[in-house]
Amino acid sequence: MRAIICGAGIAGLTAAWWLERDGWQVTLVERAAGLRDEGYLIDFFGSGYDVAERMGLVPALRRAQTRAKAIEYVDPDGHGRGKLRYQSFDVAFRGRIATIMRGHLERVLHDSLGDRVPIRYGTTIDAVRPDIHGVDVTLSDDTQQRADLLIGADGIHSRVRRLVFGPEEPYLRYIGYHTASYVFTDPQLRDQIGDRFLAVAVPNRQLGLYPIDDRRLAAWLVHRSPQPALPAEPAATIRSTYVGLGELADRALAHCPTGAELYYDQVAQIEMAGWNRGPVTLVGDACQAVSLMAGQGAAMAMGGAYVLAEELRRGGGVPAAMDRYEKRMRPFVRAKQRAGRRTAHWLVPNTGWRLSVRAAAFAAAALPGVPALLRPALATSSSSVVTSSAEPVGTAR
Ligand SMILES: Cc1cc2nc3c(=O)[nH]c(=O)nc-3n(C[C@H](O)[C@H](O)[C@H](O)COP(=O)(O)OP(=O)(O)OC[C@H]3O[C@@H](n4cnc5c(N)ncnc54)[C@H](O)[C@@H]3O)c2cc1C
């Protein structure tokens, strides 16, 4: 059986790993010129952690863990607005959590594939022609491929989705914020930040800084915006939106790049009535984006890819497997999307009162014994799509 996967990100690489292991002949098509190492920091638990464990990747993820030891919120004058040590998350999740750069997760997945699956970097899909036996795909390098299954794993603005399911608008639910991130070198500021994730927070705006290595920092920004449309010049918008956040923020803003090194996007979710059409299916953000407000998109992308592969392995034909995959994933995705919308104004408080309540909640969570008490509440948010205990554990080859 042959599969073409469009997008060698978190979902695409995971799907490729499992399908190849199950004997599929897989081709990965990726628009980017190569691996992108950086990105932004993600908390990785629940489904993603479970899948990574089955792939034998937890030790590699541990080695890629962030150097930041605590999250610390401050106001523009540097006064504390809440602090929590990452160790508390570890206790609350019984050690089944990793905080890593998205790019490091991509690299770990990529390296685990070795050269068993060819990745055609700098390539996208130009045309898709499904029929009752399979699908013909035209790649941007003008070559043709035939497969039994085409998987769109090309992220929230998926091209496969647009080609097969139509324009993005009806599927994208904007949830009211824009976000940005970039990596920059500033050894002096790096020393000032130390081993912290330091976030300057005011109502409706937040700018976070955290260390990548001894010289480099990453900036993560999020602000409320009534306008879903992206600005023509994101760097200029960032500089004007985040004024008045104090000296550290000003220094970080001076490093804001203007080109492709600046990630800038809407904060949005993807909701679709169906994820499958003939021999074409979608995985990850392409069909189930939960947004950074829910904070489990990468974990859910790995979960979705794993469930798809598991259902294909169970047999009964590709269409039946795709149906079962969608049915299994939907309740988890819906619950996380709802939770993300509900908690957005706590992640980015919209009033001074909410900022104070968040600071108080952080202070309470830092008290001895409280992280362990949070376990029952966190059990719901970290519920996993990985259910079958019979599934053999993979090894990183
Ligand atoms: C600021 C921020 C913070 C986040 N925090 C967390 C967190 O704490 N925890 C968590 O689990 N998740 C988090 N997420 C979400 C997470 O990053 C995504 O949900 C996850 O990366 C989705 O994986 P994916 O493989 O579906 O898509 P992506 O990771 O976006 O990968 C898609 C791939 O497809 C490629 N591609 C795109 N278009 C094409 C095309 N036309 N042709 C070929 N290839 C194409 C892209 O280059 C990319 O390699 C966060 C997201 C953001 C923005």
Side-chain angles (χ1 to χ4, degrees), residues 6-11 29-31 36 40-43 102 123-124 153-155 159 179 220 263 284-285 292 295-299 301:
C6 182
I10 310 305
V29 175
E30 166 59 49
R31 183 180 57 184
R36 290 156 313 153
Y40 38 80
L41 205 59
I42 60 172
D43 291 316
R102 180 207 164 280
T123 310
T124 186
D154 46 351
R159 184 173 173 85
T179 187
W220 172 56
Y263 165 84
D285 274 7
L292 68 92
Q296 293 183 58

PDB file of all heavy atoms in Angstrom, residues 6-11 29-31 36 40-43 102 123-124 153-155 159 179 220 263 284-285 292 295-299 301, ligand 1:
ATOM      1  N   CYS A   6       1.383  14.997   2.951  1.00  0.00           N
ATOM      2  CA  CYS A   6       1.768  16.370   2.656  1.00  0.00           C
ATOM      3  C   CYS A   6       2.001  17.093   3.977  1.00  0.00           C
ATOM      4  O   CYS A   6       1.075  17.267   4.759  1.00  0.00           O
ATOM      5  CB  CYS A   6       0.662  17.055   1.844  1.00  0.00           C
ATOM      6  SG  CYS A   6       1.092  18.738   1.383  1.00  0.00           S
ATOM      7  N   GLY A   7       3.252  17.497   4.242  1.00  0.00           N
ATOM      8  CA  GLY A   7       3.593  18.186   5.496  1.00  0.00           C
ATOM      9  C   GLY A   7       4.431  17.287   6.387  1.00  0.00           C
ATOM     10  O   GLY A   7       3.934  16.285   6.908  1.00  0.00           O
ATOM     11  N   ALA A   8       5.729  17.633   6.528  1.00  0.00           N
ATOM     12  CA  ALA A   8       6.611  16.850   7.412  1.00  0.00           C
ATOM     13  C   ALA A   8       6.778  17.599   8.733  1.00  0.00           C
ATOM     14  O   ALA A   8       7.883  17.860   9.184  1.00  0.00           O
ATOM     15  CB  ALA A   8       7.954  16.604   6.741  1.00  0.00           C
ATOM     16  N   GLY A   9       5.635  17.961   9.348  1.00  0.00           N
ATOM     17  CA  GLY A   9       5.650  18.566  10.677  1.00  0.00           C
ATOM     18  C   GLY A   9       5.404  17.479  11.712  1.00  0.00           C
ATOM     19  O   GLY A   9       5.787  16.318  11.524  1.00  0.00           O
ATOM     20  N   ILE A  10       4.748  17.833  12.798  1.00  0.00           N
ATOM     21  CA  ILE A  10       4.570  16.907  13.911  1.00  0.00           C
ATOM     22  C   ILE A  10       3.654  15.739  13.500  1.00  0.00           C
ATOM     23  O   ILE A  10       4.001  14.566  13.673  1.00  0.00           O
ATOM     24  CB  ILE A  10       3.976  17.647  15.148  1.00  0.00           C
ATOM     25  CG1 ILE A  10       4.781  18.935  15.464  1.00  0.00           C
ATOM     26  CG2 ILE A  10       3.890  16.719  16.340  1.00  0.00           C
ATOM     27  CD1 ILE A  10       6.267  18.730  15.662  1.00  0.00           C
ATOM     28  N   ALA A  11       2.498  16.072  12.920  1.00  0.00           N
ATOM     29  CA  ALA A  11       1.555  15.011  12.534  1.00  0.00           C
ATOM     30  C   ALA A  11       2.103  14.174  11.384  1.00  0.00           C
ATOM     31  O   ALA A  11       2.017  12.940  11.398  1.00  0.00           O
ATOM     32  CB  ALA A  11       0.208  15.639  12.138  1.00  0.00           C
ATOM     33  N   VAL A  29       6.009  14.920   1.594  1.00  0.00           N
ATOM     34  CA  VAL A  29       6.222  16.119   0.783  1.00  0.00           C
ATOM     35  C   VAL A  29       6.189  17.324   1.717  1.00  0.00           C
ATOM     36  O   VAL A  29       5.215  17.488   2.458  1.00  0.00           O
ATOM     37  CB  VAL A  29       5.083  16.238  -0.260  1.00  0.00           C
ATOM     38  CG1 VAL A  29       5.204  17.526  -1.038  1.00  0.00           C
ATOM     39  CG2 VAL A  29       5.083  15.046  -1.190  1.00  0.00           C
ATOM     40  N   GLU A  30       7.228  18.146   1.724  1.00  0.00           N
ATOM     41  CA  GLU A  30       7.292  19.262   2.680  1.00  0.00           C
ATOM     42  C   GLU A  30       7.647  20.563   1.956  1.00  0.00           C
ATOM     43  O   GLU A  30       8.638  20.616   1.234  1.00  0.00           O
ATOM     44  CB  GLU A  30       8.309  18.948   3.779  1.00  0.00           C
ATOM     45  CG  GLU A  30       8.740  20.107   4.647  1.00  0.00           C
ATOM     46  CD  GLU A  30       7.600  20.804   5.401  1.00  0.00           C
ATOM     47  OE1 GLU A  30       6.786  20.108   6.039  1.00  0.00           O
ATOM     48  OE2 GLU A  30       7.535  22.044   5.334  1.00  0.00           O
ATOM     49  N   ARG A  31       6.848  21.590   2.189  1.00  0.00           N
ATOM     50  CA  ARG A  31       7.062  22.875   1.509  1.00  0.00           C
ATOM     51  C   ARG A  31       8.375  23.556   1.920  1.00  0.00           C
ATOM     52  O   ARG A  31       9.055  24.153   1.097  1.00  0.00           O
ATOM     53  CB  ARG A  31       5.876  23.787   1.821  1.00  0.00           C
ATOM     54  CG  ARG A  31       5.913  25.127   1.132  1.00  0.00           C
ATOM     55  CD  ARG A  31       4.713  25.948   1.489  1.00  0.00           C
ATOM     56  NE  ARG A  31       4.618  26.128   2.945  1.00  0.00           N
ATOM     57  CZ  ARG A  31       3.630  26.746   3.560  1.00  0.00           C
ATOM     58  NH1 ARG A  31       2.615  27.209   2.862  1.00  0.00           N
ATOM     59  NH2 ARG A  31       3.606  26.882   4.873  1.00  0.00           N
ATOM     60  N   ARG A  36      13.109  22.847  10.377  1.00  0.00           N
ATOM     61  CA  ARG A  36      13.183  24.132  11.077  1.00  0.00           C
ATOM     62  C   ARG A  36      13.305  23.818  12.565  1.00  0.00           C
ATOM     63  O   ARG A  36      12.390  23.249  13.153  1.00  0.00           O
ATOM     64  CB  ARG A  36      11.942  24.971  10.779  1.00  0.00           C
ATOM     65  CG  ARG A  36      11.931  25.454   9.334  1.00  0.00           C
ATOM     66  CD  ARG A  36      10.552  25.745   8.878  1.00  0.00           C
ATOM     67  NE  ARG A  36       9.654  24.649   9.236  1.00  0.00           N
ATOM     68  CZ  ARG A  36       8.358  24.795   9.443  1.00  0.00           C
ATOM     69  NH1 ARG A  36       7.820  25.951   9.356  1.00  0.00           N
ATOM     70  NH2 ARG A  36       7.614  23.741   9.755  1.00  0.00           N
ATOM     71  N   TYR A  40       8.679  27.709  18.943  1.00  0.00           N
ATOM     72  CA  TYR A  40       8.237  28.218  20.242  1.00  0.00           C
ATOM     73  C   TYR A  40       8.194  27.049  21.200  1.00  0.00           C
ATOM     74  O   TYR A  40       8.251  25.877  20.799  1.00  0.00           O
ATOM     75  CB  TYR A  40       6.855  28.873  20.098  1.00  0.00           C
ATOM     76  CG  TYR A  40       5.962  28.120  19.149  1.00  0.00           C
ATOM     77  CD1 TYR A  40       5.284  26.974  19.576  1.00  0.00           C
ATOM     78  CD2 TYR A  40       5.845  28.482  17.822  1.00  0.00           C
ATOM     79  CE1 TYR A  40       4.506  26.245  18.703  1.00  0.00           C
ATOM     80  CE2 TYR A  40       5.058  27.753  16.931  1.00  0.00           C
ATOM     81  CZ  TYR A  40       4.395  26.642  17.378  1.00  0.00           C
ATOM     82  OH  TYR A  40       3.632  25.907  16.513  1.00  0.00           O
ATOM     83  N   LEU A  41       8.064  27.390  22.475  1.00  0.00           N
ATOM     84  CA  LEU A  41       8.098  26.364  23.519  1.00  0.00           C
ATOM     85  C   LEU A  41       6.731  25.691  23.631  1.00  0.00           C
ATOM     86  O   LEU A  41       5.702  26.381  23.634  1.00  0.00           O
ATOM     87  CB  LEU A  41       8.443  27.053  24.841  1.00  0.00           C
ATOM     88  CG  LEU A  41       9.105  26.216  25.924  1.00  0.00           C
ATOM     89  CD1 LEU A  41      10.418  25.613  25.447  1.00  0.00           C
ATOM     90  CD2 LEU A  41       9.369  27.085  27.156  1.00  0.00           C
ATOM     91  N   ILE A  42       6.714  24.372  23.718  1.00  0.00           N
ATOM     92  CA  ILE A  42       5.435  23.691  23.907  1.00  0.00           C
ATOM     93  C   ILE A  42       5.483  22.776  25.140  1.00  0.00           C
ATOM     94  O   ILE A  42       6.511  22.193  25.439  1.00  0.00           O
ATOM     95  CB  ILE A  42       5.005  22.866  22.663  1.00  0.00           C
ATOM     96  CG1 ILE A  42       6.031  21.784  22.332  1.00  0.00           C
ATOM     97  CG2 ILE A  42       4.783  23.752  21.466  1.00  0.00           C
ATOM     98  CD1 ILE A  42       5.555  20.832  21.241  1.00  0.00           C
ATOM     99  N   ASP A  43       4.363  22.704  25.818  1.00  0.00           N
ATOM    100  CA  ASP A  43       4.206  21.732  26.899  1.00  0.00           C
ATOM    101  C   ASP A  43       3.606  20.487  26.268  1.00  0.00           C
ATOM    102  O   ASP A  43       2.581  20.548  25.594  1.00  0.00           O
ATOM    103  CB  ASP A  43       3.256  22.270  27.984  1.00  0.00           C
ATOM    104  CG  ASP A  43       3.889  23.418  28.740  1.00  0.00           C
ATOM    105  OD1 ASP A  43       5.072  23.301  29.078  1.00  0.00           O
ATOM    106  OD2 ASP A  43       3.196  24.425  28.960  1.00  0.00           O
ATOM    107  N   ARG A 102       9.074  23.431  19.783  1.00  0.00           N
ATOM    108  CA  ARG A 102       8.387  22.665  18.742  1.00  0.00           C
ATOM    109  C   ARG A 102       9.394  22.113  17.733  1.00  0.00           C
ATOM    110  O   ARG A 102       9.305  20.965  17.279  1.00  0.00           O
ATOM    111  CB  ARG A 102       7.347  23.535  18.039  1.00  0.00           C
ATOM    112  CG  ARG A 102       6.593  22.781  16.942  1.00  0.00           C
ATOM    113  CD  ARG A 102       6.083  23.714  15.863  1.00  0.00           C
ATOM    114  NE  ARG A 102       5.713  22.946  14.677  1.00  0.00           N
ATOM    115  CZ  ARG A 102       6.585  22.499  13.777  1.00  0.00           C
ATOM    116  NH1 ARG A 102       7.890  22.706  13.927  1.00  0.00           N
ATOM    117  NH2 ARG A 102       6.175  21.817  12.729  1.00  0.00           N
ATOM    118  N   THR A 123       8.938  21.132  -1.649  1.00  0.00           N
ATOM    119  CA  THR A 123       7.936  20.622  -2.597  1.00  0.00           C
ATOM    120  C   THR A 123       6.545  20.687  -1.960  1.00  0.00           C
ATOM    121  O   THR A 123       6.397  20.474  -0.758  1.00  0.00           O
ATOM    122  CB  THR A 123       8.241  19.141  -2.936  1.00  0.00           C
ATOM    123  OG1 THR A 123       9.609  19.030  -3.291  1.00  0.00           O
ATOM    124  CG2 THR A 123       7.384  18.638  -4.084  1.00  0.00           C
ATOM    125  N   THR A 124       5.546  20.987  -2.775  1.00  0.00           N
ATOM    126  CA  THR A 124       4.179  20.934  -2.276  1.00  0.00           C
ATOM    127  C   THR A 124       3.303  20.162  -3.274  1.00  0.00           C
ATOM    128  O   THR A 124       3.812  19.602  -4.247  1.00  0.00           O
ATOM    129  CB  THR A 124       3.616  22.344  -2.007  1.00  0.00           C
ATOM    130  OG1 THR A 124       2.334  22.211  -1.394  1.00  0.00           O
ATOM    131  CG2 THR A 124       3.506  23.184  -3.259  1.00  0.00           C
ATOM    132  N   ALA A 153      -1.249  16.672   6.165  1.00  0.00           N
ATOM    133  CA  ALA A 153      -0.709  16.956   7.502  1.00  0.00           C
ATOM    134  C   ALA A 153      -0.002  18.296   7.429  1.00  0.00           C
ATOM    135  O   ALA A 153       1.041  18.497   8.039  1.00  0.00           O
ATOM    136  CB  ALA A 153       0.250  15.849   7.922  1.00  0.00           C
ATOM    137  N   ASP A 154      -0.585  19.209   6.651  1.00  0.00           N
ATOM    138  CA  ASP A 154       0.118  20.458   6.334  1.00  0.00           C
ATOM    139  C   ASP A 154      -0.394  21.652   7.131  1.00  0.00           C
ATOM    140  O   ASP A 154      -0.421  22.779   6.632  1.00  0.00           O
ATOM    141  CB  ASP A 154       0.105  20.715   4.816  1.00  0.00           C
ATOM    142  CG  ASP A 154      -1.249  20.510   4.166  1.00  0.00           C
ATOM    143  OD1 ASP A 154      -2.165  19.994   4.837  1.00  0.00           O
ATOM    144  OD2 ASP A 154      -1.404  20.862   2.988  1.00  0.00           O
ATOM    145  N   GLY A 155      -0.785  21.392   8.383  1.00  0.00           N
ATOM    146  CA  GLY A 155      -0.995  22.480   9.323  1.00  0.00           C
ATOM    147  C   GLY A 155      -2.307  23.229   9.174  1.00  0.00           C
ATOM    148  O   GLY A 155      -3.167  22.887   8.357  1.00  0.00           O
ATOM    149  N   ARG A 159      -3.050  23.103   2.593  1.00  0.00           N
ATOM    150  CA  ARG A 159      -3.307  23.198   1.150  1.00  0.00           C
ATOM    151  C   ARG A 159      -4.147  21.994   0.678  1.00  0.00           C
ATOM    152  O   ARG A 159      -4.996  22.126  -0.193  1.00  0.00           O
ATOM    153  CB  ARG A 159      -1.957  23.230   0.425  1.00  0.00           C
ATOM    154  CG  ARG A 159      -2.042  23.413  -1.065  1.00  0.00           C
ATOM    155  CD  ARG A 159      -0.622  23.600  -1.594  1.00  0.00           C
ATOM    156  NE  ARG A 159      -0.556  23.627  -3.024  1.00  0.00           N
ATOM    157  CZ  ARG A 159      -0.749  24.700  -3.758  1.00  0.00           C
ATOM    158  NH1 ARG A 159      -1.039  25.837  -3.180  1.00  0.00           N
ATOM    159  NH2 ARG A 159      -0.646  24.652  -5.071  1.00  0.00           N
ATOM    160  N   THR A 179      -0.607  35.954  17.471  1.00  0.00           N
ATOM    161  CA  THR A 179       0.573  35.493  18.208  1.00  0.00           C
ATOM    162  C   THR A 179       1.802  35.561  17.313  1.00  0.00           C
ATOM    163  O   THR A 179       1.689  35.518  16.078  1.00  0.00           O
ATOM    164  CB  THR A 179       0.359  34.065  18.750  1.00  0.00           C
ATOM    165  OG1 THR A 179       1.463  33.719  19.593  1.00  0.00           O
ATOM    166  CG2 THR A 179       0.276  33.037  17.639  1.00  0.00           C
ATOM    167  N   TRP A 220       8.096  35.112  22.751  1.00  0.00           N
ATOM    168  CA  TRP A 220       6.749  34.648  22.393  1.00  0.00           C
ATOM    169  C   TRP A 220       5.762  35.750  22.768  1.00  0.00           C
ATOM    170  O   TRP A 220       5.752  36.212  23.910  1.00  0.00           O
ATOM    171  CB  TRP A 220       6.410  33.356  23.136  1.00  0.00           C
ATOM    172  CG  TRP A 220       4.979  32.958  22.942  1.00  0.00           C
ATOM    173  CD1 TRP A 220       4.358  32.758  21.748  1.00  0.00           C
ATOM    174  CD2 TRP A 220       3.992  32.745  23.951  1.00  0.00           C
ATOM    175  NE1 TRP A 220       3.036  32.417  21.961  1.00  0.00           N
ATOM    176  CE2 TRP A 220       2.792  32.409  23.303  1.00  0.00           C
ATOM    177  CE3 TRP A 220       4.004  32.812  25.352  1.00  0.00           C
ATOM    178  CZ2 TRP A 220       1.615  32.137  23.989  1.00  0.00           C
ATOM    179  CZ3 TRP A 220       2.830  32.538  26.035  1.00  0.00           C
ATOM    180  CH2 TRP A 220       1.656  32.192  25.352  1.00  0.00           C
ATOM    181  N   TYR A 263       7.696  34.238  13.128  1.00  0.00           N
ATOM    182  CA  TYR A 263       6.431  33.507  13.001  1.00  0.00           C
ATOM    183  C   TYR A 263       5.328  34.439  13.471  1.00  0.00           C
ATOM    184  O   TYR A 263       5.420  35.029  14.549  1.00  0.00           O
ATOM    185  CB  TYR A 263       6.494  32.246  13.882  1.00  0.00           C
ATOM    186  CG  TYR A 263       5.135  31.611  14.123  1.00  0.00           C
ATOM    187  CD1 TYR A 263       4.589  30.733  13.199  1.00  0.00           C
ATOM    188  CD2 TYR A 263       4.408  31.912  15.269  1.00  0.00           C
ATOM    189  CE1 TYR A 263       3.341  30.171  13.419  1.00  0.00           C
ATOM    190  CE2 TYR A 263       3.161  31.355  15.489  1.00  0.00           C
ATOM    191  CZ  TYR A 263       2.635  30.490  14.558  1.00  0.00           C
ATOM    192  OH  TYR A 263       1.403  29.941  14.774  1.00  0.00           O
ATOM    193  N   GLY A 284      -3.820  16.228  12.348  1.00  0.00           N
ATOM    194  CA  GLY A 284      -3.191  17.363  13.027  1.00  0.00           C
ATOM    195  C   GLY A 284      -3.982  18.647  12.849  1.00  0.00           C
ATOM    196  O   GLY A 284      -5.208  18.634  12.663  1.00  0.00           O
ATOM    197  N   ASP A 285      -3.267  19.776  12.898  1.00  0.00           N
ATOM    198  CA  ASP A 285      -3.924  21.085  12.836  1.00  0.00           C
ATOM    199  C   ASP A 285      -4.799  21.242  11.592  1.00  0.00           C
ATOM    200  O   ASP A 285      -5.747  22.029  11.593  1.00  0.00           O
ATOM    201  CB  ASP A 285      -2.865  22.202  12.840  1.00  0.00           C
ATOM    202  CG  ASP A 285      -2.443  22.585  14.254  1.00  0.00           C
ATOM    203  OD1 ASP A 285      -2.854  21.912  15.215  1.00  0.00           O
ATOM    204  OD2 ASP A 285      -1.673  23.572  14.396  1.00  0.00           O
ATOM    205  N   LEU A 292      -3.229  27.593  20.511  1.00  0.00           N
ATOM    206  CA  LEU A 292      -2.292  27.648  21.630  1.00  0.00           C
ATOM    207  C   LEU A 292      -3.016  27.862  22.949  1.00  0.00           C
ATOM    208  O   LEU A 292      -2.463  27.614  24.016  1.00  0.00           O
ATOM    209  CB  LEU A 292      -1.245  28.735  21.395  1.00  0.00           C
ATOM    210  CG  LEU A 292      -1.696  30.188  21.404  1.00  0.00           C
ATOM    211  CD1 LEU A 292      -1.560  30.794  22.783  1.00  0.00           C
ATOM    212  CD2 LEU A 292      -0.857  30.973  20.419  1.00  0.00           C
ATOM    213  N   GLY A 295      -3.375  24.565  24.145  1.00  0.00           N
ATOM    214  CA  GLY A 295      -2.007  24.177  24.463  1.00  0.00           C
ATOM    215  C   GLY A 295      -1.663  22.717  24.240  1.00  0.00           C
ATOM    216  O   GLY A 295      -0.693  22.261  24.788  1.00  0.00           O
ATOM    217  N   GLN A 296      -2.406  22.004  23.432  1.00  0.00           N
ATOM    218  CA  GLN A 296      -2.057  20.600  23.234  1.00  0.00           C
ATOM    219  C   GLN A 296      -2.074  20.208  21.760  1.00  0.00           C
ATOM    220  O   GLN A 296      -2.277  19.051  21.422  1.00  0.00           O
ATOM    221  CB  GLN A 296      -3.032  19.708  23.996  1.00  0.00           C
ATOM    222  CG  GLN A 296      -2.918  19.847  25.497  1.00  0.00           C
ATOM    223  CD  GLN A 296      -3.858  18.899  26.225  1.00  0.00           C
ATOM    224  OE1 GLN A 296      -3.793  17.697  26.051  1.00  0.00           O
ATOM    225  NE2 GLN A 296      -4.742  19.444  27.007  1.00  0.00           N
ATOM    226  N   GLY A 297      -1.852  21.202  20.897  1.00  0.00           N
ATOM    227  CA  GLY A 297      -1.964  20.931  19.461  1.00  0.00           C
ATOM    228  C   GLY A 297      -0.949  19.912  18.965  1.00  0.00           C
ATOM    229  O   GLY A 297      -1.279  19.043  18.153  1.00  0.00           O
ATOM    230  N   ALA A 298       0.295  20.017  19.440  1.00  0.00           N
ATOM    231  CA  ALA A 298       1.332  19.088  18.970  1.00  0.00           C
ATOM    232  C   ALA A 298       1.047  17.686  19.516  1.00  0.00           C
ATOM    233  O   ALA A 298       1.162  16.687  18.800  1.00  0.00           O
ATOM    234  CB  ALA A 298       2.708  19.569  19.428  1.00  0.00           C
ATOM    235  N   ALA A 299       0.660  17.656  20.790  1.00  0.00           N
ATOM    236  CA  ALA A 299       0.345  16.368  21.409  1.00  0.00           C
ATOM    237  C   ALA A 299      -0.838  15.715  20.694  1.00  0.00           C
ATOM    238  O   ALA A 299      -0.839  14.507  20.415  1.00  0.00           O
ATOM    239  CB  ALA A 299       0.032  16.579  22.888  1.00  0.00           C
ATOM    240  N   ALA A 301      -1.754  16.344  17.613  1.00  0.00           N
ATOM    241  CA  ALA A 301      -1.343  16.010  16.235  1.00  0.00           C
ATOM    242  C   ALA A 301      -0.700  14.626  16.215  1.00  0.00           C
ATOM    243  O   ALA A 301      -0.969  13.804  15.335  1.00  0.00           O
ATOM    244  CB  ALA A 301      -0.370  17.070  15.710  1.00  0.00           C
TER     245      ALA A 301
HETATM  246  C1  LIG B   1       2.735  29.990  19.992  1.00  0.00           C
HETATM  247  C2  LIG B   1       2.240  28.572  20.009  1.00  0.00           C
HETATM  248  C3  LIG B   1       2.328  27.824  21.197  1.00  0.00           C
HETATM  249  C4  LIG B   1       1.901  26.479  21.213  1.00  0.00           C
HETATM  250  N1  LIG B   1       2.005  25.767  22.358  1.00  0.00           N
HETATM  251  C5  LIG B   1       1.702  24.442  22.354  1.00  0.00           C
HETATM  252  C6  LIG B   1       1.867  23.654  23.546  1.00  0.00           C
HETATM  253  O1  LIG B   1       2.228  24.155  24.634  1.00  0.00           O
HETATM  254  N2  LIG B   1       1.600  22.307  23.471  1.00  0.00           N
HETATM  255  C7  LIG B   1       1.223  21.705  22.296  1.00  0.00           C
HETATM  256  O2  LIG B   1       1.052  20.470  22.293  1.00  0.00           O
HETATM  257  N3  LIG B   1       1.000  22.446  21.174  1.00  0.00           N
HETATM  258  C8  LIG B   1       1.227  23.791  21.170  1.00  0.00           C
HETATM  259  N4  LIG B   1       1.025  24.544  20.048  1.00  0.00           N
HETATM  260  C9  LIG B   1       0.382  23.938  18.854  1.00  0.00           C
HETATM  261  C10 LIG B   1       1.307  23.101  17.989  1.00  0.00           C
HETATM  262  O3  LIG B   1       2.482  23.765  17.611  1.00  0.00           O
HETATM  263  C11 LIG B   1       0.548  22.681  16.720  1.00  0.00           C
HETATM  264  O4  LIG B   1      -0.748  22.298  17.052  1.00  0.00           O
HETATM  265  C12 LIG B   1       1.266  21.501  16.054  1.00  0.00           C
HETATM  266  O5  LIG B   1       2.534  21.897  15.606  1.00  0.00           O
HETATM  267  C13 LIG B   1       0.441  20.966  14.897  1.00  0.00           C
HETATM  268  O6  LIG B   1       1.172  19.971  14.215  1.00  0.00           O
HETATM  269  P1  LIG B   1       0.894  19.700  12.660  1.00  0.00           P
HETATM  270  O7  LIG B   1       1.891  18.692  12.248  1.00  0.00           O
HETATM  271  O8  LIG B   1      -0.544  19.441  12.461  1.00  0.00           O
HETATM  272  O9  LIG B   1       1.175  21.085  11.964  1.00  0.00           O
HETATM  273  P2  LIG B   1       2.555  21.854  11.849  1.00  0.00           P
HETATM  274  O10 LIG B   1       3.408  21.593  13.011  1.00  0.00           O
HETATM  275  O11 LIG B   1       2.179  23.266  11.551  1.00  0.00           O
HETATM  276  O12 LIG B   1       3.247  21.195  10.578  1.00  0.00           O
HETATM  277  C14 LIG B   1       2.725  21.369   9.291  1.00  0.00           C
HETATM  278  C15 LIG B   1       3.834  21.103   8.283  1.00  0.00           C
HETATM  279  O13 LIG B   1       3.303  21.185   6.971  1.00  0.00           O
HETATM  280  C16 LIG B   1       4.153  21.985   6.175  1.00  0.00           C
HETATM  281  N5  LIG B   1       3.343  22.602   5.124  1.00  0.00           N
HETATM  282  C17 LIG B   1       2.483  23.642   5.246  1.00  0.00           C
HETATM  283  N6  LIG B   1       1.910  23.899   4.075  1.00  0.00           N
HETATM  284  C18 LIG B   1       2.418  23.011   3.184  1.00  0.00           C
HETATM  285  C19 LIG B   1       2.216  22.781   1.817  1.00  0.00           C
HETATM  286  N7  LIG B   1       1.369  23.545   1.075  1.00  0.00           N
HETATM  287  N8  LIG B   1       2.887  21.762   1.218  1.00  0.00           N
HETATM  288  C20 LIG B   1       3.765  20.980   1.931  1.00  0.00           C
HETATM  289  N9  LIG B   1       3.999  21.177   3.243  1.00  0.00           N
HETATM  290  C21 LIG B   1       3.339  22.175   3.863  1.00  0.00           C
HETATM  291  C22 LIG B   1       4.751  22.978   7.144  1.00  0.00           C
HETATM  292  O14 LIG B   1       5.947  23.553   6.646  1.00  0.00           O
HETATM  293  C23 LIG B   1       4.981  22.105   8.364  1.00  0.00           C
HETATM  294  O15 LIG B   1       6.208  21.423   8.302  1.00  0.00           O
HETATM  295  C24 LIG B   1       1.374  25.892  20.018  1.00  0.00           C
HETATM  296  C25 LIG B   1       1.263  26.659  18.850  1.00  0.00           C
HETATM  297  C26 LIG B   1       1.678  27.990  18.850  1.00  0.00           C
HETATM  298  C27 LIG B   1       1.537  28.778  17.570  1.00  0.00           C
END
